Structure formats: C-alpha cells, structure tokens
Amino acid sequence: DLVGVAFIDTQIYIHSISVIKNFVLYADITKSISLLTFDRECKTLSVISRDFEPMEVYRTAFVVDGTNLGFMVSDSNCNLVIYVYQPESVDSQGGMKLIRKSDINIGAHVNTFIRTGIRIHDGSILGTTSASSLLHPSEKRHVTWFGTLDGAIGSFPPLAEKRYRRLFMLHNKLVTAVPHVAGLNPKKFRTAKMPGRWL
C-alpha cells in the first residue's frame, strides 16, 4: 500500500507533475508552474520558486544540459517556454521567482514530453571536437522530445554556444533571403504568442 509522507497546499488544480531526484515541478491549470523540493529526513515538501504570471499550462518537463537544469512548459497558446532557477538574479526576487529564459511558438498544442539521454558517435549535436568519441550517459545531457495533439513529434537537443550561433546566423539568412509564401513572416510566426491579458 502507498503511504503518504508529505503534504503541501497548492493553488487551484494540479494536472501535471514532473520529478527528478528530490525536485518536483508541478503545473496548475491557471497559475503556471511551481518548483518544490522534498526533504527525505524531515519528510516535508517546500516551495523553492514559482512563476507569478498566470498561464494555462498543458505539460511540464525538466531540461537537463550537463550541470544546468531548466523547466520546459507548454501552454494553451501553443508556446514552449523554458524557465530557470537563478536566485542570484535581481529579477528572481531573491530566488522566489522563476526566470523566463526563452520561448517559441510551435503552432500546435504540446501534451507530452519525454527526456532521453544523448548517445551519439559524433559531436554534431554537442559541438565536441572528437568525432569518434562515444558519449556516456553520465554526461547528463538529455534530449527533450515532445508530442502534439495533431500528431507531430519534435525535439530540443542541447547545443554548444558556437554551434547555436552558426545555426542562428543561418536562420537569419534564410529569413531574409528566401521569399516568404504569401508574404508570411516565419519570425513572426515563431514568436511566442502573449495576449495582452492572460487567461
């Protein structure tokens, strides 16, 4: 039988929970996300940080890139948002507020996330110098896969800064050089949709 060992009073209605080690990331149906920690000795759950902006969250996941840990969220506006916990930042209000690091609109509602460890024979994804080195799971770099309600599958692999800058320059070149279908702007389409007032 399952035995309850810890309890915490939350906001309105929790429908998504992600757990890694002693960290718990949960999503409220209208109150965005919160990060908890579980103390095994005292058997208590306590809030570390949270997002204060209202958001209709669909699903949550952890983003693991070496020693960096982020929190990915999908919402009702087809956005994917990554938050980080940075208590040293002024914007975090002493660590009580999660920092919004990046966002993108993918044009579909994401309803599931899966993390898998990276095992590749070349350094194409991570930008490593050795092309024949086999990465071990202890590198703790994970690809975050997502699935959408219309059947699409996508992924977010971690990138080295140098490779990211190259791809970003290529992206900007394609946006300016390739004619847009019907005059539609791909940059505008991928910009996160932020209504004037959150639902």
Side-chain angles (χ1 to χ4, degrees):
D1 293 339
L2 294 176
V3 178
V5 295
F7 172 82
I8 189 168
D9 192 17
T10 60
Q11 309 267 335
I12 296 177
Y13 179 74
I14 294 176
H15 65 94
S16 176
I17 295 179
S18 302
V19 179
I20 186 170
K21 292 190 176 180
N22 62 326
F23 296 107
V24 179
L25 180 68
Y26 75 81
D28 189 272
I29 197 165
T30 60
K31 298 291 186 180
S32 193
I33 61 171
S34 297
L35 180 65
L36 310 176
T37 183
F38 175 65
D39 190 336
R40 296 178 185 273
E41 295 181 358
C42 300
K43 295 183 179 180
T44 57
L45 279 169
S46 55
V47 177
I48 300 176
S49 186
R50 62 185 295 261
D51 177 33
F52 294 109
E53 297 295 329
M55 180 189 294
E56 194 175 339
V57 178
Y58 270 38
R59 193 64 63 189
T60 61
F62 287 98
V63 179
V64 180
D65 182 12
T67 57
N68 300 319
L69 184 66
F71 318 107
M72 184 174 287
V73 178
S74 64
D75 69 4
S76 59
N77 295 310
C78 303
N79 298 321
L80 288 181
V81 184
I82 294 181
Y83 292 90
V84 293
Y85 174 64
Q86 292 181 335
E88 67 278 0
S89 173
V90 177
D91 296 332
S92 70
Q93 300 176 10
M96 291 301 298
K97 181 181 179 182
L98 292 173
I99 303 298
R100 190 184 190 113
K101 204 68 174 176
S102 63
D103 48 45
I104 187 173
N105 186 279
I106 62 168
H109 293 103
V110 174
N111 66 331
T112 187
F113 287 110
I114 296 176
R115 279 185 301 109
T116 58
I118 295 179
R119 278 182 82 90
I120 54 177
H121 288 276
D122 58 35
S124 58
I125 292 181
L126 300 178
T128 55
T129 55
S130 176
S132 60
S133 61
L134 180 64
L135 294 175
H136 193 269
S138 63
E139 291 285 333
K140 297 180 181 176
R141 291 177 181 260
H142 294 181
V143 177
T144 303
W145 298 85
F146 65 86
T148 67
L149 290 176
D150 60 3
I153 297 175
S155 66
F156 281 90
L159 290 174
E161 182 69 21
K162 185 176 180 181
R163 190 164 300 275
Y164 163 77
R165 291 185 181 278
R166 286 180 181 172
L167 290 174
F168 186 67
M169 286 170 38
L170 176 63
H171 169 262
N172 288 336
K173 187 67 175 176
L174 290 173
V175 168
T176 56
V178 178
H180 302 159
V181 177
L184 301 175
N185 191 315
K187 267 192 173 181
K188 177 64 177 174
F189 177 75
R190 292 301 179 188
T191 302
K193 306 297 186 290
M194 300 298 172
R197 188 166 190 165
W198 288 85
L199 296 178

